[in-house]
Amino acid sequence: MIKLFVGLGNPGPEYEATRHNAGFWWTDALARDLKVSLVPERSYHGFAARAQVNGQPVWLLQPQTFMNLSGKSVAALARFFKIAPEEILVAHDELDVVPGEAKLKFGGSHAGHNGLRDIHAQLGTGDYWRLRLGIGHPGVKSEVVNWVLKKPLKEQREAIDDAIARTLHAVPALLAGQMEKATLLIHTSKPPRPKPPRREPDGGGGGAGSEGGAAPAAA
């Protein structure tokens, strides 16, 4: 079961609305749901909150070390409370997932994400859970840094917020250790409903037209 929910981002108002802070947005939403407040905790180098859910203590954490030192904060709290890596979920921005989609994953590489890279190093393993919040890709590798440190377009931010709201429905399953159920809840989304076929007038020599609406993009 998950005992520590971590959201990744950069501290400071200049970064608050940038794509790289999607993990912060997620933990902010979770804190509202659990009716707790994230407050500065110097010992853990971040903002933290503790909640009781069904008698179980649950921690929320937002490292304030800047992204590339996120592991310093995560490891400090996890070691103090003896939380194992497999009991940690890290919510972070994901270039390879489109805005509006989210993916749950256990283990694997950091794939170049500086926050995950440092968590790997500080925990000594990659065997923790990740909630990959799609922010999309600029299409050119050289533009990635600028992309993640800029605000998303209005429709992209709305799609990301919708995904965050949807993934929160999986939190009870995550807390219960029902990871398959949580995965189904998080990965199931509602693509745009296709438009009904257009009917041609009788005798016009034409059948039903093709369905409108594009297929959802592959993640």
Side-chain angles (χ1 to χ4, degrees):
M1 61 184 68
I2 302 301
K3 296 181 179 178
L4 170 59
F5 293 94
V6 179
L8 297 188
N10 285 310
E14 66 270 38
Y15 297 107
E16 187 175 348
T18 63
R19 293 181 177 95
H20 224 15
N21 276 36
F24 277 9
W25 305 342
W26 191 83
T27 41
D28 283 338
L30 178 58
R32 288 192 294 270
D33 263 19
L34 296 178
K35 296 179 172 55
V36 295
S37 298
L38 289 148
V39 297
E41 292 282 359
R42 185 177 298 177
S43 298
Y44 314 130
H45 315 288
F47 290 166
R50 179 172 175 158
Q52 286 287 130
V53 182
N54 298 326
Q56 172 189 326
V58 178
W59 282 94
L60 281 64
L61 178 66
Q62 291 180 345
Q64 298 294 298
T65 51
F66 285 97
M67 185 65 81
N68 61 353
L69 293 176
S70 297
K72 179 180 180 181
S73 173
V74 176
L77 192 151
R79 286 172 184 156
F80 187 84
F81 290 102
K82 297 180 172 57
I83 299 172
E86 60 269 22
E87 297 172 328
I88 299 172
L89 181 143
V90 178
H92 65 90
D93 57 304
E94 177 56 63
L95 289 161
D96 294 330
V97 178
V98 297
E101 296 292 335
K103 305 291 182 184
L104 185 65
K105 176 184 179 182
F106 179 76
S109 74
H110 54 68
H113 191 290
N114 287 333
L116 299 182
R117 188 196 307 272
D118 195 56
I119 293 172
H120 272 53
Q122 294 288 340
L123 293 181
T125 181
D127 290 341
Y128 54 90
W129 291 89
R130 305 94 186 272
L131 179 61
R132 305 162 68 214
L133 300 167
I135 61 167
H137 196 287
V140 181
K141 187 175 181 181
S142 61
E143 289 297 317
V144 164
V145 172
N146 287 331
W147 178 261
V148 300
L149 293 179
K150 285 185 178 178
K151 297 178 182 180
L153 298 174
K154 181 175 181 289
E155 58 269 26
Q156 293 175 340
R157 177 60 193 262
E158 289 173 351
I160 295 168
D161 287 342
D162 285 346
I164 288 172
R166 189 179 72 250
T167 59
L168 290 178
H169 295 307
V171 169
L174 293 168
L175 291 172
Q178 299 169 341
M179 307 312 286
E180 289 186 12
K181 180 178 179 180
T183 300
L184 286 172
L185 289 168
I186 289 169
H187 289 201
T188 302
S189 63
K190 296 181 179 178
R193 181 178 296 178
K195 295 178 181 178
R198 184 182 304 149
R199 291 187 175 277
E200 296 290 341
D202 290 340
S210 62
E211 292 188 2

